[in-house]
Amino acid sequence: MTAHILVVEGEEKLARFIELELRYEGYRVSLAPAGTTGIAAVREIQVDLIIWDWSLPDLLGLEICRHFQSSGSKTQIILLSSIHDVSACITGLDAGADDYVVKPFKIEELLARVRARLRRNQADVNSYILQFEDLSLNRRTWEVYRGKRLIELTAKEFELLEYLLSHPRQVIPRSEILQQIWGYDFLGDSNIIEVYIRYLRLKLEVNDEKRLIHTVRGVGYVLRQESLKQLASEKFANLH
């Protein structure tokens, strides 16, 4: 998916120049001429990277960096500044900026910084997205997809599926699942795992999608592809 970049820059000509260069590189770009409009844009659209002018009169770049840092946001921020000073750069980075570019700059340098930041973004995304076949789970947004179909899960269903996705192709004993998902002191229904596995299968196989969660009799469960032998036996069973 094409990265979406927000440019918050008060100098109109510079903002337009940056926008054109970014669009030429294939990025989607939104512009905001002031800090308040930049904040509004962040609330309305999802962006992968923000290029923010340090010295906007209504909202300093340092303030927005501190805000994002305190809120736990993972959005990458590149500060643009006309201050040629090492201490200013350190202050900006300490405030939460991910990079610091001094004006005037060569556009090639800014584009290189953008590419580096977006690579870091992708590395972060890979750490919280679990995927197996056409099934994906996002640990940050709590979204689960089978292909393009969004699947709504309860908290416990999500937790169980997350554990299975964290151990693909591994046979996980019932005792381990019970311990990890329900805890040592669980005193409920002894068939609770079977019940929740059934819930997951019903939601994951709505459109006759192939089964991914398999039972290993007498042991536990495994997340894996269906074998040709299984597919053949199922087809044979359907004929009789």
Side-chain angles (χ1 to χ4, degrees), residues 31 33 39 60 106 112 127 191 195 215 221 226 232 234 240:
L31 293 182
I39 288 290
L60 293 177
K106 290 184 180 295
S127 69
N191 293 322
V195 170
T215 302
Y221 297 91
E226 289 178 306
E234 288 179 6
H240 295 80

Side-chain angles (χ1 to χ4, degrees), residues 134-136 142-154 157-158 161 199-200 202-206 209:
D134 61 344
L135 177 64
S136 64
W142 278 62
E143 291 178 325
V144 174
Y145 281 90
R146 187 81 196 257
K148 295 183 178 180
R149 178 171 65 88
L150 178 64
I151 302 171
E152 294 188 8
L153 300 180
T154 65
E157 289 168 353
F158 184 93
L161 182 60
Y199 289 161
L200 283 177
L202 287 172
K203 293 183 177 182
L204 296 178
E205 303 169 14
V206 169
E209 290 104 333

Side-chain angles (χ1 to χ4, degrees), residues 4 7 24 36-38 42-43 55 62 67 70 75 77 81 125 140 144 151 172 186 189 192 197 213 226:
H4 192 170
V7 179
Y24 183 78
T36 51
T37 53
V42 170
R43 290 172 178 167
S55 55
L62 288 182
H67 169 75
S70 63
T75 306
I77 300 176
S81 174
V125 166
R140 285 181 59 186
V144 174
I151 302 171
I172 306 176
F186 178 73
D189 189 346
I192 191 70
I197 290 291
I213 302 175
E226 289 178 306

Side-chain angles (χ1 to χ4, degrees), residues 91-150:
T91 299
L93 296 175
D94 285 344
D98 298 283
D99 209 339
Y100 184 95
V101 177
V102 176
K103 299 178 183 178
F105 51 82
K106 290 184 180 295
I107 191 62
E108 292 81 8
E109 178 191 0
L110 179 61
L111 293 175
R113 303 287 186 97
V114 166
R115 289 192 294 270
R117 289 297 104 202
L118 291 175
R119 282 197 298 270
R120 175 66 180 272
N121 262 4
Q122 189 57 50
D124 289 343
V125 166
N126 291 339
S127 69
Y128 60 76
I129 290 182
L130 299 175
Q131 187 158 2
F132 184 79
E133 292 284 300
D134 61 344
L135 177 64
S136 64
L137 178 149
N138 189 314
R139 287 166 161 161
R140 285 181 59 186
T141 64
W142 278 62
E143 291 178 325
V144 174
Y145 281 90
R146 187 81 196 257
K148 295 183 178 180
R149 178 171 65 88
L150 178 64

Side-chain angles (χ1 to χ4, degrees), residues 224-239:
R224 59 168 166 74
Q225 298 171 307
E226 289 178 306
S227 66
L228 293 176
K229 182 178 179 181
Q230 284 178 308
L231 290 171
S233 64
E234 288 179 6
K235 289 182 179 179
F236 181 79
N238 291 334
L239 295 174

